[in-house]
Amino acid sequence: MDRPPLTTLLIWAAVGTYLLVALGATAAADAGSAVVAVHHVSAVAVGVLLVATALLAHRTGASRGVRAGTIAVLIAYAAQAGVGLAGRTDALPFDDGLHLLGGIAVFAALLATLVVRAEATGDVPADDGAPSGSDDRVAPTADLPAESDGPPASERGSLRFRDRVRAYLELTKPRLLWLLCLLALAGMGLAAATGAELDGVTVVATLGGGALATGASGAFNHVYERDRDRKMRRTADRPIATDRVGVRRATAFAVALVVASMAVLLAFVNALAAALTAAAVVYYAYVYTVLLKPTTRWNTVIGGGSGALPALIGYAAVTGTVGLPAVLLAVVVCCWTPAHFYNLAIAHRDDYARADYPMLPVVAGVGTARRRILAWLGVTLIAAVLLGSVTDLGVLYAVTTTALGAVFVRSVVRQYDADGREDEDGRAAAAYRSFHASNAYLGAVLAAILVETLAM
């Protein structure tokens, strides 16, 4: 089954509109610049695309919401184009900020129309509420002690040194490390773009101290969630859940990593960076893991702040302060987090239900989670535009956030395509594709920031 042409047109219209907004936010004020010329040509092309989309919506008998959305977008776009044309020809005073907000509004309306269209064409399974919670796939736990300090003495000799190192490394959740380090580097790049001096010792010490703190957060998370980890197929083989590392040893390991992290940051960076890093550890290990994750469906939204703090840490490491560019970059990551993680929660909905975690797909259903993914993705893209508008980030950044944002949006829409023609494993695979697309989006945007602030 091919995706309906109207859905494809809506995707391209949303992408084209966002490209216009991103280019407008980063374009030089010089009306003769190449960026502004591309912006004007693209505006005409997007206008034609919107007209075609509205006509197709009415010719194919799309739902009332989709038809009304395409017409409203077309009217708003025409008004927005008129404001821009009048300003550029000096017929009326031109306000760049107001024009940018108008473009954001058009993009938001298009994305909302796309959500309505995707839900109308998708075949969401009937049991879109909480999963059955069947226990026939629960990993056996009866013979596992609730807490221990490692395997019996008679078996410890069978654990080779390399296996022990690997187990402790798993406690640090190393797969998270590359993105957090890239985020801290992007924060440093934004700081350097303000004229602050960036030196190698600061970079290495910040990344090293941050890596130690990230490892500590992961270890504390493993310790606290060990009982629930045993109930989830995705986490049942974690070091503490399988007693490869004891609780007391894992706790001591986490404490040692925190102490080492603070020592490095205080000795080679500055007190503000150290304080923000300590706050990140507490945020993830206690606020998110203990207070939020087991108790509220808003856990991912509120808990996303812990993953955003490296942006502030990197900026503070260079300048000794926290500036607006770093705050906006942190906002981008906060908004990206639910759009990113809800895909994983959809793919492992039964797992989270067995462990009694109130993840959004568990308590509100897959359909609600997908709507939230697209909504938070839209907010993420808008936040990325605002970041570009207050910094010197240019065309590379605008094109990157547009291109990878398009891949992300398309992957989420494809989840609707999977409904009705895929089994549960197929739908989980579609959610995983969106999960990986979200990682690619953030990684590429952060890399573009680094290139534009440090290499150009």
Side-chain angles (χ1 to χ4, degrees):
M1 182 188 303
D2 293 329
R3 183 181 300 117
L6 179 57
T7 304
T8 301
L9 274 179
L10 278 169
I11 292 174
W12 282 110
V15 171
T17 303
Y18 182 73
L19 177 61
L20 284 177
V21 174
L23 286 175
T26 57
D30 181 10
S33 71
V35 174
V36 172
V38 171
H39 179 76
H40 291 163
V41 172
S42 301
V44 175
V46 171
V48 173
L49 185 58
L50 290 176
V51 171
T53 303
L55 289 174
L56 186 60
H58 284 73
R59 288 185 59 186
T60 58
S63 68
R64 179 181 300 178
V66 173
R67 295 198 309 270
T70 56
I71 290 298
V73 165
L74 191 58
I75 294 172
Y77 187 83
Q80 175 77 353
V83 170
L85 183 61
R88 294 303 178 188
T89 58
D90 294 328
L92 290 172
F94 182 70
D95 188 331
D96 282 321
L98 184 61
H99 192 56
L100 178 61
L101 289 177
I104 289 173
V106 173
F107 168 71
L110 259 176
L111 194 61
T113 305
L114 176 60
V115 172
V116 174
R117 174 61 181 177
E119 292 193 335
T121 55
D123 184 16
V124 180
D127 61 338
D128 192 37
S132 61
S134 172
D135 291 333
D136 59 348
R137 291 184 293 172
V138 177
T141 61
D143 297 331
L144 293 176
E147 180 173 330
S148 73
D149 197 34
S154 60
E155 299 178 9
R156 287 175 187 166
S158 64
L159 287 177
R160 295 176 297 175
F161 176 75
R162 184 174 61 183
D163 296 325
R164 293 181 181 180
V165 171
R166 183 182 296 113
Y168 277 94
L169 182 62
E170 287 179 31
L171 289 178
T172 66
K173 297 190 174 183
R175 284 181 293 182
L176 300 176
L177 190 58
W178 73 271
L179 202 54
L180 295 175
C181 286
L182 193 58
L183 178 57
L185 281 170
M188 288 186 242
L190 291 174
T194 66
E197 184 178 353
L198 183 62
D199 63 89
V201 172
T202 298
V203 172
V204 173
T206 302
L207 295 182
L212 292 169
T214 300
S217 299
F220 282 128
N221 176 269
H222 277 252
V223 169
Y224 186 78
E225 295 185 344
R226 60 190 182 277
D227 292 331
R228 281 188 166 97
D229 282 345
R230 292 177 178 126
K231 299 177 182 179
M232 297 176 61
R233 302 175 76 185
R234 186 174 72 91
T235 59
D237 62 345
R238 284 179 171 177
I240 302 179
T242 55
D243 293 311
R244 285 179 289 148
V245 178
V247 171
R248 287 191 291 273
R249 290 182 179 179
T251 303
F253 176 63
V255 171
L257 290 178
V258 170
V259 172
S261 171
M262 293 299 101
V264 169
L265 293 171
L266 288 172
F268 298 102
V269 189
N270 58 55
L272 179 57
L276 289 170
T277 302
V281 173
V282 174
Y283 200 149
Y284 183 79
Y286 181 70
V287 176
Y288 172 69
T289 300
V290 178
L291 297 183
L292 297 173
K293 188 175 180 180
T295 61
T296 174
R297 70 172 67 185
W298 294 96
N299 46 24
T300 302
V301 175
I302 303 172
S306 61
L309 281 171
L312 307 183
I313 294 167
Y315 195 95
V318 177
T319 65
T321 62
V322 173
L324 180 60
V327 172
L328 286 176
L329 179 56
V331 169
V332 170
V333 178
C334 281
C335 298
W336 167 87
T337 300
H340 160 76
F341 186 78
Y342 285 157
N343 295 291
L344 187 67
I346 289 172
H348 294 282
R349 185 169 64 139
D350 288 340
D351 248 1
Y352 284 115
R354 280 195 294 269
D356 199 27
Y357 281 122
M359 296 300 177
L360 187 66
V362 175
V363 299
V366 171
T368 298
R370 286 178 182 158
R371 287 192 293 273
R372 297 285 178 84
I373 290 170
L374 284 171
W376 281 110
L377 173 54
V379 176
T380 300
L381 294 172
I382 291 170
V385 165
L386 296 178
L387 173 61
S389 69
V390 302
T391 61
D392 292 329
L393 297 174
V395 175
L396 175 63
Y397 173 79
V399 171
T400 300
T401 186
T402 301
L404 274 297
V407 172
F408 195 175
V409 170
R410 180 175 176 272
S411 71
V412 179
V413 173
R414 288 184 66 185
Q415 289 191 46
Y416 289 94
D417 294 345
D419 289 333
R421 60 188 180 93
E422 299 278 0
D423 57 15
E424 191 64 30
D425 289 340
R427 288 190 287 271
Y432 253 113
R433 284 192 289 270
S434 293
F435 177 78
H436 293 307
S438 68
N439 275 331
Y441 170 79
L442 186 59
V445 166
L446 296 177
I449 291 174
L450 280 176
V451 170
E452 293 217 5
T453 56
L454 298 179
M456 288 188 172

